[in-house]
């Protein structure tokens, strides 16, 4: 069964600045959950189509990892696709508005393993949604700081 977690936020910054917050790895680490680490697969970080990265949950000993590849890229838009415990995509889209940018984050996924799916629904679904909302607030803060 496919699931979607979708959040959006209004940001008083240009779409170009907001986009930099999710395409520049240094800026990304300023708003990303501190338990997550994003790193390129290979030597260079990129958000061009085909670029690969991994998101590592920094839990002692096990450190679960989600490997991603950029599957869609346009100005103001990056879509990461992933396969593993989760299968799906993570869409980040800037929509210019009169007073800044409307940022949309849509996490669409399936969890093929019934045991992993049960564990996610039981222990992590509510936390994941809340964390995605908190990340948008932190990203907004970073983008609006840059605009000052």
């Amino acid at each position: 069964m496919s699931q979607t977690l979708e959040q959006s936020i209004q940001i008083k910054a240009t779409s170009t600045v907001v986009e930099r917050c999710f395409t520049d790895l240094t800026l990304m680490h300023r708003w990303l959950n501190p338990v997550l680490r994003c790193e390129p697969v290979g030597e260079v970080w990129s958000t061009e189509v085909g670029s690969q990265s991994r998101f590592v949950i920094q839990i002692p000993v096990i450190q679960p990892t989600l490997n991603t590849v950029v599957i869609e890229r346009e100005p103001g838009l990056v879509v990461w696709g992933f396969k593993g415990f989760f299968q799906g995509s993570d869409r980040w889209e800037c929509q210019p508005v009169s007073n800044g940018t409307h940022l949309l984050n849509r996490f669409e996924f399936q969890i093929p393993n019934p045991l992993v799916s049960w564990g996610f629904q039981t222990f992590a679904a509510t936390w994941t949604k809340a964390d995605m909302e908190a990340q948008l607030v932190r990203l907004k803060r970073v983008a609006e700081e840059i605009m000052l």
Side-chain angles (χ1 to χ4, degrees):
M1 180 177 94
S2 185
Q3 300 177 62
T4 301
L5 299 175
E6 182 174 300
Q7 284 76 231
S8 63
I9 195 166
Q10 296 293 122
I11 301 174
K12 291 179 183 169
T14 65
S15 291
T16 303
V17 167
V18 174
E19 178 182 13
R20 275 186 44 219
C21 290
F22 60 85
T23 60
D24 178 304
L25 193 56
T26 302
L27 290 176
M28 184 186 287
H29 280 111
R30 287 181 55 192
W31 58 263
L32 198 63
N33 183 317
V35 174
L36 286 175
R37 183 180 74 244
C38 180
E39 55 192 34
V41 172
E43 294 182 27
V44 179
W45 165 260
S46 174
T47 57
E48 296 306 311
V49 171
S51 299
Q52 297 179 29
S53 56
R54 67 177 66 91
F55 288 83
V56 181
I57 301 172
Q58 299 181 96
I59 298 172
V61 183
I62 58 173
Q63 295 198 340
T65 301
L66 186 63
N67 293 307
T68 68
V69 61
V70 176
I71 58 173
E72 188 177 349
R73 181 70 167 103
E74 295 175 15
L77 172 71
V78 179
V79 181
W80 281 274
F82 47 86
K83 292 180 182 172
F85 288 118
F86 291 91
Q87 296 178 1
S89 63
D90 192 14
R91 179 183 193 90
W92 291 80
E93 183 175 358
C94 294
Q95 301 164 345
V97 293
S98 61
N99 61 345
T101 302
H102 178 83
L103 177 62
L104 171 72
N105 176 218
R106 181 181 302 128
F107 186 59
E108 298 179 72
F109 62 98
Q110 293 181 315
I111 306 174
N113 181 311
L115 184 60
V116 174
S117 180
W118 176 85
F120 177 79
Q121 292 303 323
T122 303
F123 301 109
T126 302
W127 175 85
T128 300
K129 183 169 177 27
D131 185 58
M132 289 174 72
E133 292 168 358
Q135 285 186 149
L136 288 184
V137 171
R138 291 190 300 266
L139 188 151
K140 172 183 172 115
R141 193 175 314 128
V142 171
E144 290 177 352
E145 277 178 21
I146 292 170
M147 284 300 294
L148 294 178

